[in-house]
Amino acid sequence: MIRPKRLLEPAGFLSALGEFPVSRVNDSVEALVNLWNNAMTRAVDSIAPKHPLVCFRTRSAPWFSNDLMIMKHTRRGLERRWRKTRSLADRLYVKEFSKTYATARHTAQRTFFSVSISSADNQPAELYRVVKGLLNPDHTEPSVGHSPIRCQEFARHFENKVAQIRSALDANIVAVSRGVPLDSVCLIKLDSFQLVHLEDIDKLLGEMRSTTCLLDPCPSWIIKQARGGLTNWICYVPKMYQHILALAFAIKETNENPKLLQNITLGFHILNNYYIAKMTYKATLNLLCRQNRHVPNFVCDAQKKLVACIGGLMTETSAIMANIFAVYKVPQMVPDEAYQYIGIVRLLQHFGWTWIGLLAVDDDYGDRFLQAMVPLLTQNSICYAFIFRLPKRSYLDDFTDFIVEQVNNYLVLMERKANVCFVYGEFPSWQDLRMMLLCAPFLSLPPLAKVWIVTSHWDFESLSVQRMWDIQHFHGAISVTVHSNQPLGFQQFVHNIKPFWAKEDHFIQNFWEQAFSCSFKIFNMNMETSKFCTGEEKLESLPHTFFEMNMIGHSYNIYNAVYAVAHALHAIYVSSSKHKRLLEGGEVGLQIVQPWLLHHFLKCIFFNNSAGDTVSFDENGQLLADFDVTNWVTFPNNSFVRVKVGRLEPHAPLGKELTLHDNHILWHRSFNQIQPLSVCNDNCYPGYSRKKKEGERFCCYDCVSCPEGMISDKKDMDACSNCPEDQYPNKDQNQCIPKILSYLSFNELLGIIFTTSAISFSLITVLVIGVFKKYQDTPIVKANNRTLTYILLVSLLLCFLCSLLFIGQPGKVTCLLRQMGFGLVFSMALSSVLAKTITVVMAFMVTKPGSRMRKWVGKRMAYSIVLSGSFFQVGICTVWLITSPPFPDTDMHSMNEEILFECNEGSPTMFYCVLGYLSFLATVSFTMAFLARKLPDSFNEAKFITFSMLIFCSVWVSFVPAYQSTKGKYMVAVEIFSILSSSAGLLGSIFSPKCYIILLRPELNNKEHLRRRGK
């Protein structure tokens, strides 16, 4: 049973089909499917009832030989065998044989027509019939009946074409003689004709088989022919009509601009791809070919020259177009989306969102997005909680599977920690996401509150059947959109749009019917719910999901693209004028402009559009454009407002690409206007650092306190850090506090005590010197070398005073004098004590009869001992000063909270050499005094010297460990205490008994008493 094709004409089919009942929009999917099938079956049966098939033999083409018929039957047999076996070998054999058959078929066809054209020489009627058959294979002309006038017109037309070709050939030959490369000249041969067949296009695009929709009981060809009238059954996107208006407005402005392309009019052609790759290929080839035939590389219409193309809104569309246009070097205006990824990463970093969800369309471009985005997120310390794929597009027959899959995805989206979702998709994916959110309440799923971050591909666009669908789920969404502005006059241009404003606009009636839910066709007005379109409806009354009066980002890109092409053509026009490249007739034209020539001029253009924005391209041909960070604010009546809250400048310095105004952003209502958090776990606050959890992503971590001496002053630091050398951590380990400069000053208690003690002992020493000076002629003063006594007292006075050098802020001079002065004056004091002890011993040894030591006793020996002892210490200090002198230094590491300002000895070895030599003098003095302690004489100082040396050695022996175990000013205090205590020990032990006799017991200060005691 078949239906007669002659009865299946579109007008009758549409009349029988009628209008879609609007009241049935909210029915279930199964009900809509049944409604569609019943309506289609009823309409087809009414206009073309089925009847039995009557087979008859049709006349084959004249070039289709018996050999080709045999090859055709063989190919069909191989195809049937492959469908049964489904083996790879049979499939490959079918493909190879199909190629052989196609080659033989093309060869036979070319040979037949070449012979026909050659044999039709000087026969215009026959030549007309042959060429007409080539240009329109589906149209059959009778071989007889042509009028002589028509044949003569064709002959003249053919002669004109030959003359044009010869003139072009002559021009090419002249161009070659002037140095134009041979490969850029198209040499035309008139003795042969080679036709490009549709099979060649199939080879380029792949096998394109025509299929019939499962929901369509009638042949698909009738739907294709009648698609212009099926406005009630096919869903349109009314909002995209603004792109057409932006293109028309830009072309209108360009053609009316007297300063741009004078005497040249730009035109445009718009083709729809229906979001299908095959239709995109077809539309692209339609732009390159003429007379509605896919015959590339054969130009039949010179008046319609394609010089540039504006890419589609979808990435796939632009990529398919680029594959074909790249062969012909046709410029294609496509915005670059790579910069948006960096901007969105900066946005996530700005708000501290490190745990997000990724939604990507399930195709090759979604895979590329994930391959580019996931490493970029990882490099910037951002993790994804989940990834799920949005369907590329959905069909009604897959609706059940779609619902089941989206329910599972919805459960994944409910993951509470990931409050931010980054979505990569285009219009079909946007509709699928809306469908998922719409179905959630009917499946008893809780509402979803997320911050949706989307790229510039997305817009709040609704199909005609989605007029009442809620968009509150997307309140507070953030998108990185193409920068847009409002060109002057565009809104007025839109206000003047009416359904019949231009007869060439084949889109506006469909747009008008879908946008306003009305119809222009009287025969479709059979439903009570329908209304007639008056043409006076107001565009501004439409919801923003259907149409916006302000120019949106994509439309603004189209507007700028038209002007960019116009300025580039104008530059070519000016360049041609300067070089006096005149066409026949004396006028400069652009008919000879090749598309590839436009590339060079596009890179060089620079202009300001009517909105005040600058349009230019970089050296790679990329548009130098910024992006707007837009906050989508929705309302219960399904309207929305775009709020620009920031700007993305891709060519700004690294890290400064994004400018954002947080206070202008409105978040989803469930967040109560509090900035949402989207992290795997709570933040690690200052004073803590992150520690990775085993088996989880690096964004999931534990918080551990910082080690002692380290801080973290920001949230979520990977590791704690040390403070600068001049600072130390506070108690909470979240900030650094400047260290205090520490040294022993005169103002603090310890410094006051030492200063008072040093001055007091110095005054006591001065008093002792005064007493000894006053009673210098008394026996007790004169005894045991009075000069040595004065030297010892002066040395002790200097010892007390040198301790003051250790108090106060260290300086270069004080550091040099501290240890040097201390070593020299103590060496002099100890040398004096040693000289006194040796003098006492030598005095008793000389008194023995026959002693040979008499010549050594006297002042010379005492002075020699003092000078030699001091001179040796001077040598040590000199070497110290020459090799490594002391200097002021700061120690920032010994104390946690203080910077120790001290004198660095320079060479610790030399310092201990000084102390070692003092120890040597003290040991010798102690030994000599200890041996002479029992000599019988009242003026014998050996006992007192022994006691004083015992005190001295005890002090300095305990000094070494105490000095090593202290730091800073306390180390200086230990040395001052040792100097004062040892000096006071010498002063008190040696001179206090004498002062007691001089001042309190003067009667004992005479020779008789001393001699009596000596006996």
Side-chain angles (χ1 to χ4, degrees), residues 228 231 236-242 244-245 248 270 493-521 533 535-537 539 542 547:
T231 55
Y236 287 90
V237 187
K239 192 170 185 177
M240 293 186 179
Y241 184 66
Q242 192 194 88
I244 300 175
L245 295 180
I270 301 175
F493 176 79
V494 174
H495 276 289
N496 296 333
I497 294 299
K498 296 299 178 183
F500 304 101
W501 76 288
K503 64 179 182 179
E504 296 86 0
D505 189 351
H506 302 293
F507 298 94
I508 188 167
Q509 291 193 15
N510 289 334
F511 159 74
W512 208 272
E513 290 179 342
Q514 294 294 318
F516 294 104
S517 298
C518 61
S519 176
F520 287 101
K521 297 178 177 61
C533 295
E536 299 300 325
E537 292 83 1
L539 291 175
L542 292 174
F547 191 81

Side-chain angles (χ1 to χ4, degrees), residues 79-80 231 258-259 352 404 470 478 499 542 563 596 658 685 822 991:
E79 289 178 348
R80 286 194 294 269
T231 55
K259 298 181 180 179
V404 173
D470 190 15
I478 299 176
L542 292 174
Y563 265 94
W596 55 265
L658 182 67
Y685 290 95
F822 154 72
F991 294 100

Side-chain angles (χ1 to χ4, degrees), residues 249-250 253 257 482-491 550-553 555-557 559-560 563 567 607-615 628 644 647:
F249 177 70
E253 280 191 338
N257 190 345
V482 179
H483 171 67
S484 62
N485 212 332
Q486 302 307 313
L488 298 177
F490 178 73
Q491 289 197 2
N550 291 331
M551 185 177 286
I552 61 178
S555 299
Y556 190 65
N557 260 0
Y559 177 82
N560 287 331
Y563 265 94
H567 279 274
F607 66 93
N608 293 330
N609 60 18
S610 61
D613 290 338
T614 301
V615 180
D628 294 329
K644 293 183 180 180
R647 193 176 182 89

Side-chain angles (χ1 to χ4, degrees), residues 936-938 1008-1015:
D937 188 77
S938 296
E1008 291 77 9
H1009 176 74
L1010 295 176
R1011 289 175 180 172
R1012 189 167 52 249
R1013 288 186 59 190
K1015 294 179 180 181

Side-chain angles (χ1 to χ4, degrees), residues 137-338:
D138 296 333
H139 180 74
T140 58
E141 287 281 347
S143 59
V144 295
H146 296 292
S147 63
I149 297 177
R150 192 173 184 183
C151 294
Q152 292 175 4
E153 290 177 354
F154 180 79
R156 287 195 299 270
H157 173 75
F158 192 80
E159 291 175 358
N160 293 335
K161 288 293 182 183
V162 172
Q164 291 179 7
I165 293 174
R166 287 176 176 172
S167 62
L169 183 61
D170 294 338
N172 289 334
I173 294 174
V174 173
V176 171
S177 64
R178 292 181 179 178
V180 179
L182 286 173
D183 56 357
S184 64
V185 179
C186 178
L187 298 179
I188 305 172
K189 295 183 179 180
L190 301 179
D191 57 348
S192 64
F193 180 84
Q194 182 176 356
L195 182 66
V196 180
H197 297 272
L198 294 178
E199 286 78 4
D200 297 330
I201 307 303
D202 291 342
K203 185 185 298 183
L204 174 66
L205 306 182
E207 295 182 358
M208 298 172 56
R209 300 174 182 175
S210 59
T211 58
T212 302
C213 180
L214 295 179
L215 302 180
D216 183 7
C218 67
S220 59
W221 65 267
I222 192 171
I223 301 296
K224 294 178 181 178
Q225 290 186 14
R227 64 178 181 268
L230 293 178
T231 55
N232 297 313
W233 291 94
I234 302 176
C235 295
Y236 287 90
V237 187
K239 192 170 185 177
M240 293 186 179
Y241 184 66
Q242 192 194 88
H243 307 330
I244 300 175
L245 295 180
L247 178 62
F249 177 70
I251 293 292
K252 176 177 176 293
E253 280 191 338
T254 302
N255 291 334
E256 293 176 355
N257 190 345
K259 298 181 180 179
L260 198 62
L261 293 176
Q262 297 178 3
N263 301 324
I264 296 174
T265 301
L266 294 182
F268 63 92
H269 193 57
I270 301 175
L271 294 177
N272 196 353
N273 69 333
Y274 303 98
Y275 297 112
I276 301 173
K278 293 181 180 180
M279 297 301 295
T280 304
Y281 280 116
K282 181 180 178 182
T284 306
L285 289 172
N286 280 338
L287 291 174
L288 293 171
C289 304
R290 295 293 174 264
Q291 298 183 356
N292 297 322
R293 297 191 60 197
H294 295 166
V295 187
N297 305 325
F298 191 81
V299 179
C300 302
D301 191 352
Q303 293 301 115
K304 296 179 180 179
K305 182 79 172 179
L306 179 68
V307 293
C309 181
I310 300 175
L313 300 180
M314 294 177 59
T315 305
E316 180 184 22
T317 302
S318 299
I320 292 174
M321 296 173 66
N323 290 337
I324 298 178
F325 284 138
V327 178
Y328 299 93
K329 301 296 188 293
V330 176
Q332 182 184 2
M333 309 297 173
V334 181
D336 190 1
E337 63 183 24

Side-chain angles (χ1 to χ4, degrees), residues 783-808:
N784 204 357
N785 200 328
R786 182 174 53 188
T787 304
L788 285 178
T789 301
Y790 289 143
I791 293 174
L792 178 58
L793 285 172
V794 173
S795 300
L796 291 176
L797 176 61
L798 295 177
C799 288
F800 290 127
L801 293 177
C802 79
S803 64
L804 296 177
L805 295 174
F806 292 84
I807 306 175

